[in-house]
Amino acid sequence: MIRRLLVANRGEIARRVFATCRRLGIETVAVHSDADARLPFVAEADHAVRLPGNAPADTYLRADLVIEAARRSGADAIHPGYGFLSENADFARAVEAAGITWVGPTPESIEAMGSKVEAKRLMREAGVPTLEAPEEPTEADLPLLVKASAGGGGRGMRVVRRLEELATEVAAAQAEAASAFGDGTVFVEPYIERGRHVEVQVVGNGRGRVLVLGERDCSVQRRHQKVVEEAPAPKLGGEVADALHDAARRAAEAISYRGAGTVEFLLDPDTQRFFFLEMNTRLQVEHPVTELVWDTDLVELQLHVAEAPQSTGTLGFSTSGGEPQRHAMEVRLYAEDGAYVPQSGRLVTFEVDHDVEFGLGGERGIRVDSGLASGDDVSTFYDAMLAKVVSWAPNREQAIRQLVRALRTARIHGVTTNRDQLVEILTDPVFVAGEMTTTWLESRPISAESPSDSRASVVAAALMLAADDAARRTVQQGVPAAWRNVVSQPQRTTFEGHEPVEWWGTRDGFVVDGVTVLEVSPTHARLEVDGVTTETRGHISSERPGAPREVWVDGPLLSARLREVPRFTDPADAVASGSLLAPMPGTVVAVKVEPGGEVAAGDPVLVLEAMKMQHTVTAPHDGTVIEINVEPGAQVASGEVLAVVEESVGG
């Protein structure tokens, strides 16, 4: 029996495994980088071992350091979580060679499924339909998909629509995969434009017995990274579901699979044909939806199988599966802006109403799995996911409604998130109808409009700033904010992207046309508009004294960051025309040009890496590179001037 388990991972998945271990009475060990030292998963572990450094290649991808940490802490088992070393056969083999229980599939299974060519050969022999990659692609084979052999999450993945771009995209995918997973191997296969991503959860005992726990739909993706997952898959006929389950069972049996794994398929919604994509020989990020639908703790099953690797009988549970009990849906809440650019910084407030964390519940509810809490820092070194917010209910419609409410009422201050986009997705008619494909989200227009009645929240934010100014005064504290003996004009507060708010400070409080101001403080405002009272809560932050302030507001329909437009521009904040600013904090991976070089609009100038993703900074116009301010390996802050491109005369 496992006595003390080390999780070779971080954040949310480490906390998830620890939760099951606590319930089962198993001691826990965390390993952590310097950047993660103060995060909740470290505090919750019974023991913790530091991995010096921050970059994944120096910490969580160092198999030798992780095994040494297990030895030093007395751990007798290692759970890899997902990502990092979870699908590294050499790591699994080294763990077993050290006499430590490996909570995962055999190294042979990992290698069989990790080699995409070998995996497809095995699947063909097992009678599972596969997508065949052309050996020498031609125009007729386009579009193509470049994929990383190791890992997932959309990293190391590129769609190629022009043959001459293939070599460049392969090189970019290799670099990204090497950074994220420590393995730059990539492969190419046909790209199906309008497919559904459907995957099947399996658990095997390594001796030929396989439990199938239904399917999940993960078609809502952007940049090949899953955004929304649900179980069971909507609008999937019983015969197709049975065929998928059977194919997944055969796939797992073909390699005598041990532990929890996922067999992923691409389904053509028009023909209902499906093809094997890959098998993830680990726990999936989206495993909670299966747990909530089937009332099953998948981590507990992993531990059970690991403790009885020589069992020739049953798994210790039925392999018949049964029927799903309800519908579950998960969204990935990310620190990123509307253009999907990762964000970093202090997560000042992080509150999502929920019923359970990392566990099971009753007939309906909200589950939150997160590696962060209010006050924690979102670093640039790792994935930008803040939390998985999961809803479960007797049917899909109720699950959607619960999830929308949980997101709308959440308080998230300090970093920009994709929360509003998630609400838009969940309420989109295409999603509500269950007609999503893997390309739907990329082709769907991104709404730039705020809710029509968000004005109350913008007014509230302006008044919170005024109340904050009044509270900070050291003189005339009893005088109303912005008081004037002779009023000539209203005060005006402007936020980027919104119409100015005009207001007066009187003896009786604030006055705004069309709004009755009932109560205001630096952290909340209660306003009445057209006879309807609304409550808006907020948080005010500033990078430095005198800099434009930001108000993080949570109103009835608007939860956003509002950035104040200063009345006067500080000359120190001005930048030269043609300056290329860092869109996020990160590391300079490559500089593609030299000072004096000529570039065309859209040409790559630099490549930044942040949160294991690479981002190309391009020339804004035709011109000459007159300045390069960074070099490969440099750490840059968001908004930092990286280079300057002088526009061509007449350009």
Side-chain angles (χ1 to χ4, degrees), residues 12-13 16 82 229 284-288 330-333 367-370 385-390:
E12 165 265 325
I13 187 57
R16 165 67 190 93
Y82 52 72
E229 301 104 345
Q284 290 282 89
V285 176
E286 57 272 22
H287 75 273
E330 170 184 300
V331 294
R332 303 189 188 191
L333 184 63
R367 166 173 162 174
V368 173
D369 288 11
S370 177
M385 188 173 73
L386 301 180
K388 302 183 306 196
V389 185
V390 194

Short mmCIF file of all heavy atoms in Angstrom, two decimals, residues 12-13 16 82 229 284-288 330-333 367-370 385-390:
data_model
loop_
_atom_site.label_atom_id
_atom_site.label_comp_id
_atom_site.label_asym_id
_atom_site.label_seq_id
_atom_site.Cartn_x
_atom_site.Cartn_y
_atom_site.Cartn_z
N GLU A 12 -2.89 23.35 -9.71
CA GLU A 12 -4.21 22.73 -9.57
C GLU A 12 -4.16 21.21 -9.53
O GLU A 12 -4.82 20.58 -8.70
CB GLU A 12 -5.10 23.22 -10.72
CG GLU A 12 -6.35 22.43 -10.95
CD GLU A 12 -6.18 21.36 -12.00
OE1 GLU A 12 -5.44 21.59 -12.97
OE2 GLU A 12 -6.78 20.28 -11.84
N ILE A 13 -3.39 20.56 -10.42
CA ILE A 13 -3.41 19.10 -10.45
C ILE A 13 -2.74 18.53 -9.20
O ILE A 13 -3.14 17.47 -8.70
CB ILE A 13 -2.76 18.55 -11.75
CG1 ILE A 13 -2.94 17.04 -11.82
CG2 ILE A 13 -1.31 18.96 -11.84
CD1 ILE A 13 -4.39 16.57 -11.76
N ARG A 16 -5.35 18.64 -6.64
CA ARG A 16 -6.37 17.63 -6.92
C ARG A 16 -5.95 16.26 -6.39
O ARG A 16 -6.73 15.54 -5.76
CB ARG A 16 -6.61 17.58 -8.44
CG ARG A 16 -7.37 16.38 -8.94
CD ARG A 16 -8.81 16.39 -8.47
NE ARG A 16 -9.46 15.12 -8.75
CZ ARG A 16 -9.52 14.11 -7.90
NH1 ARG A 16 -8.92 14.18 -6.70
NH2 ARG A 16 -10.15 13.00 -8.22
N TYR A 82 -0.52 15.81 -14.99
CA TYR A 82 -0.55 15.89 -16.45
C TYR A 82 0.45 16.94 -16.91
O TYR A 82 0.81 17.85 -16.16
CB TYR A 82 -1.95 16.18 -16.98
CG TYR A 82 -2.64 17.38 -16.37
CD1 TYR A 82 -2.23 18.68 -16.65
CD2 TYR A 82 -3.71 17.21 -15.50
CE1 TYR A 82 -2.86 19.77 -16.08
CE2 TYR A 82 -4.36 18.29 -14.94
CZ TYR A 82 -3.93 19.57 -15.24
OH TYR A 82 -4.56 20.65 -14.67
N GLU A 229 -15.24 21.65 -22.01
CA GLU A 229 -15.38 20.20 -22.16
C GLU A 229 -16.66 19.77 -21.45
O GLU A 229 -17.06 20.37 -20.45
CB GLU A 229 -14.19 19.47 -21.53
CG GLU A 229 -12.84 19.84 -22.11
CD GLU A 229 -12.02 20.76 -21.24
OE1 GLU A 229 -12.59 21.36 -20.30
OE2 GLU A 229 -10.81 20.89 -21.50
N GLN A 284 -6.44 13.39 -17.65
CA GLN A 284 -6.69 14.56 -18.46
C GLN A 284 -7.06 15.78 -17.61
O GLN A 284 -7.60 15.63 -16.51
CB GLN A 284 -7.85 14.30 -19.43
CG GLN A 284 -7.53 13.31 -20.53
CD GLN A 284 -6.72 13.92 -21.65
OE1 GLN A 284 -5.50 13.91 -21.60
NE2 GLN A 284 -7.38 14.44 -22.65
N VAL A 285 -6.81 16.96 -18.15
CA VAL A 285 -7.24 18.18 -17.47
C VAL A 285 -8.74 18.15 -17.21
O VAL A 285 -9.23 18.55 -16.16
CB VAL A 285 -6.88 19.42 -18.32
CG1 VAL A 285 -7.40 20.70 -17.67
CG2 VAL A 285 -5.38 19.51 -18.54
N GLU A 286 -9.50 17.62 -18.18
CA GLU A 286 -10.96 17.66 -18.10
C GLU A 286 -11.56 16.47 -17.38
O GLU A 286 -12.78 16.22 -17.48
CB GLU A 286 -11.54 17.77 -19.51
CG GLU A 286 -11.15 16.67 -20.47
CD GLU A 286 -9.86 16.96 -21.23
OE1 GLU A 286 -9.04 17.78 -20.75
OE2 GLU A 286 -9.67 16.36 -22.29
N HIS A 287 -10.77 15.73 -16.61
CA HIS A 287 -11.31 14.53 -15.95
C HIS A 287 -12.46 14.82 -14.98
O HIS A 287 -13.28 13.92 -14.73
CB HIS A 287 -10.19 13.79 -15.22
CG HIS A 287 -9.73 14.43 -13.95
ND1 HIS A 287 -8.75 15.40 -13.91
CD2 HIS A 287 -10.13 14.27 -12.66
CE1 HIS A 287 -8.57 15.78 -12.67
NE2 HIS A 287 -9.38 15.11 -11.89
N PRO A 288 -12.60 16.04 -14.41
CA PRO A 288 -13.71 16.25 -13.48
C PRO A 288 -15.09 16.01 -14.07
O PRO A 288 -16.00 15.58 -13.35
CB PRO A 288 -13.54 17.71 -13.04
CG PRO A 288 -12.07 17.96 -13.16
CD PRO A 288 -11.67 17.20 -14.39
N GLU A 330 -17.22 21.73 -18.11
CA GLU A 330 -16.07 22.41 -17.52
C GLU A 330 -15.57 23.51 -18.44
O GLU A 330 -15.49 23.33 -19.66
CB GLU A 330 -14.95 21.40 -17.28
CG GLU A 330 -13.60 22.01 -16.87
CD GLU A 330 -12.51 20.96 -16.74
OE1 GLU A 330 -12.69 20.05 -15.90
OE2 GLU A 330 -11.51 21.03 -17.47
N VAL A 331 -15.22 24.65 -17.86
CA VAL A 331 -14.55 25.71 -18.61
C VAL A 331 -13.18 25.95 -17.98
O VAL A 331 -13.00 25.80 -16.77
CB VAL A 331 -15.35 27.03 -18.65
CG1 VAL A 331 -16.64 26.86 -19.43
CG2 VAL A 331 -15.63 27.54 -17.23
N ARG A 332 -12.24 26.33 -18.82
CA ARG A 332 -10.90 26.65 -18.34
C ARG A 332 -10.78 28.17 -18.24
O ARG A 332 -10.79 28.87 -19.25
CB ARG A 332 -9.84 26.09 -19.29
CG ARG A 332 -9.96 24.58 -19.48
CD ARG A 332 -8.77 24.03 -20.23
NE ARG A 332 -8.95 22.62 -20.58
CZ ARG A 332 -7.98 21.85 -21.05
NH1 ARG A 332 -6.77 22.34 -21.24
NH2 ARG A 332 -8.23 20.59 -21.35
N LEU A 333 -10.67 28.64 -17.03
CA LEU A 333 -10.56 30.07 -16.77
C LEU A 333 -9.09 30.46 -16.84
O LEU A 333 -8.28 29.99 -16.03
CB LEU A 333 -11.14 30.39 -15.39
CG LEU A 333 -11.21 31.85 -14.98
CD1 LEU A 333 -12.14 32.63 -15.90
CD2 LEU A 333 -11.69 31.96 -13.53
N ARG A 367 -18.23 22.97 -9.08
CA ARG A 367 -16.94 22.52 -8.53
C ARG A 367 -15.85 23.43 -9.08
O ARG A 367 -15.87 23.79 -10.26
CB ARG A 367 -16.68 21.07 -8.94
CG ARG A 367 -15.25 20.58 -8.75
CD ARG A 367 -15.15 19.09 -9.02
NE ARG A 367 -13.77 18.65 -9.27
CZ ARG A 367 -13.40 17.39 -9.43
NH1 ARG A 367 -14.31 16.43 -9.37
NH2 ARG A 367 -12.13 17.08 -9.66
N VAL A 368 -14.90 23.80 -8.24
CA VAL A 368 -13.77 24.62 -8.67
C VAL A 368 -12.47 23.89 -8.32
O VAL A 368 -12.24 23.55 -7.16
CB VAL A 368 -13.79 26.01 -8.01
CG1 VAL A 368 -12.51 26.78 -8.34
CG2 VAL A 368 -15.00 26.81 -8.47
N ASP A 369 -11.66 23.64 -9.32
CA ASP A 369 -10.31 23.09 -9.13
C ASP A 369 -9.33 24.18 -9.53
O ASP A 369 -9.28 24.56 -10.71
CB ASP A 369 -10.09 21.85 -10.01
CG ASP A 369 -10.86 20.63 -9.54
OD1 ASP A 369 -11.73 20.78 -8.67
OD2 ASP A 369 -10.61 19.53 -10.07
N SER A 370 -8.57 24.68 -8.58
CA SER A 370 -7.65 25.79 -8.87
C SER A 370 -6.37 25.62 -8.08
O SER A 370 -6.37 25.06 -6.98
CB SER A 370 -8.30 27.13 -8.51
OG SER A 370 -7.39 28.20 -8.71
N MET A 385 -3.60 29.03 -16.90
CA MET A 385 -4.91 28.64 -16.38
C MET A 385 -5.02 28.97 -14.89
O MET A 385 -4.18 28.58 -14.10
CB MET A 385 -5.16 27.15 -16.59
CG MET A 385 -6.58 26.74 -16.24
SD MET A 385 -6.97 25.02 -16.66
CE MET A 385 -6.03 24.16 -15.40
N LEU A 386 -6.08 29.70 -14.54
CA LEU A 386 -6.35 30.04 -13.15
C LEU A 386 -7.15 28.96 -12.45
O LEU A 386 -6.92 28.67 -11.28
CB LEU A 386 -7.12 31.36 -13.07
CG LEU A 386 -6.47 32.60 -13.68
CD1 LEU A 386 -7.38 33.80 -13.51
CD2 LEU A 386 -5.11 32.86 -13.06
N ALA A 387 -8.13 28.40 -13.16
CA ALA A 387 -9.00 27.42 -12.52
C ALA A 387 -9.79 26.67 -13.57
O ALA A 387 -9.96 27.12 -14.71
CB ALA A 387 -9.95 28.10 -11.54
N LYS A 388 -10.31 25.52 -13.15
CA LYS A 388 -11.32 24.81 -13.92
C LYS A 388 -12.62 24.97 -13.13
O LYS A 388 -12.69 24.59 -11.96
CB LYS A 388 -10.96 23.33 -14.05
CG LYS A 388 -9.61 23.11 -14.71
CD LYS A 388 -9.26 21.66 -14.90
CE LYS A 388 -9.32 20.84 -13.65
NZ LYS A 388 -8.63 19.53 -13.79
N VAL A 389 -13.61 25.57 -13.78
CA VAL A 389 -14.91 25.76 -13.14
C VAL A 389 -15.86 24.75 -13.80
O VAL A 389 -16.03 24.76 -15.02
CB VAL A 389 -15.43 27.20 -13.32
CG1 VAL A 389 -16.73 27.39 -12.54
CG2 VAL A 389 -14.37 28.20 -12.84
N VAL A 390 -16.45 23.90 -12.97
CA VAL A 390 -17.22 22.77 -13.47
C VAL A 390 -18.64 22.83 -12.91
O VAL A 390 -18.85 23.05 -11.72
CB VAL A 390 -16.58 21.43 -13.06
CG1 VAL A 390 -17.19 20.28 -13.86
CG2 VAL A 390 -15.07 21.47 -13.24
#
